[in-house]
């Protein structure tokens, strides 16, 4: 029988002779253990990579790459947004209002950052277009609101 050298060495040490059958069982169990461990590691890495990509897409999808502001405020934001859209390599520009606030739940108060966007603008600037169809401007925010996906 003409086996490759590597396979010959592997079979020689994994398969025992008849009087050493217990060693063959131990080799089988340890080989299965290593196989299951490697399989679990590969699956965990694949899941974490996919989760990391999803989280990155959600964060970057709702935050702009660049904020443009003036310390005295911008009076005509439509004209400023049009100037930004006219620049090369700019895919979209939209106004937003940023603020800070406090939220109190069950006697505990936490700081929050509030961001207001115009839902009537084209969906080229954020990935919140899928959420805007579910947001009703007439209803109040409920604590059981469905998160945007």
């Amino acid at each position: 029988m003409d086996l490759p050298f590597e396979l010959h060495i592997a079979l020689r040490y994994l398969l025992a002779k008849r009087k050493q059958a217990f060693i063959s069982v131990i080799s089988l169990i340890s080989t299965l253990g290593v196989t299951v461990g490697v399989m679990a590691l590969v699956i965990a890495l694949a899941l974490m990579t996919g989760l990391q990509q999803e989280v990155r897409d959600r964060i970057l999808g709702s935050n702009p790459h660049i904020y443009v502001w003036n310390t005295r405020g911008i009076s005509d934001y439509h004209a400023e947004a049009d100037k930004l859209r006219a620049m090369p390599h700019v895919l979209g520009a939209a106004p937003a209002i940023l603020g800070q606030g406090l939220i109190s739940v069950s006697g505990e108060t936490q700081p929050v950052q509030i961001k207001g966007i115009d839902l009537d603008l084209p969906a080229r600037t954020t990935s919140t277009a899928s959420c805007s169809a579910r947001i009703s401007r007439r209803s109040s925010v409920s604590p059981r609101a469905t998160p945007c996906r």
Side-chain angles (χ1 to χ4, degrees):
M1 182 157 66
D2 192 26
L3 292 175
F5 178 71
E6 295 86 2
L7 184 59
H8 174 71
I9 296 294
L11 290 176
R12 180 177 173 188
Y13 286 103
L14 286 177
L15 301 176
K17 298 179 174 86
R18 286 187 188 159
K19 57 185 173 182
Q20 298 172 340
F22 186 68
I23 295 175
S24 180
V25 172
I26 292 174
S27 296
L28 177 68
I29 291 172
S30 61
T31 303
L32 287 176
V34 169
T35 303
V36 169
V38 170
M39 183 178 67
L41 182 64
V42 168
I43 290 172
L45 285 174
L47 289 175
M48 291 305 293
T49 302
L51 178 67
Q52 180 183 13
Q53 182 67 33
E54 181 70 23
V55 168
R56 183 183 305 129
D57 289 345
R58 286 185 187 238
I59 290 172
L60 292 179
S62 63
N63 288 330
H65 296 153
I66 296 176
Y67 281 105
V68 177
W69 72 89
N70 187 341
T71 56
R72 293 170 295 187
I74 298 175
S75 58
D76 186 13
Y77 64 87
H78 290 292
E80 293 296 326
D82 290 338
K83 283 184 204 175
L84 290 171
R85 283 189 208 100
M87 296 179 79
H89 307 294
V90 173
L91 301 178
I97 298 173
L98 300 175
Q100 296 177 349
L102 291 173
I103 188 166
S104 180
V105 177
S106 300
E108 186 176 330
T109 304
Q110 293 288 324
V112 293
Q113 185 173 11
I114 302 167
K115 180 179 180 181
I117 60 171
D118 189 359
L119 293 176
D120 293 332
L121 291 175
R124 291 182 301 177
T125 55
T126 63
S127 63
T128 57
S130 62
C131 299
S132 64
R134 291 188 287 177
I135 297 174
S136 171
R137 290 184 184 86
R138 286 177 253 137
S139 68
S140 63
V141 176
S142 94
R144 298 177 189 243
T146 305
C148 297
R149 297 187 200 276

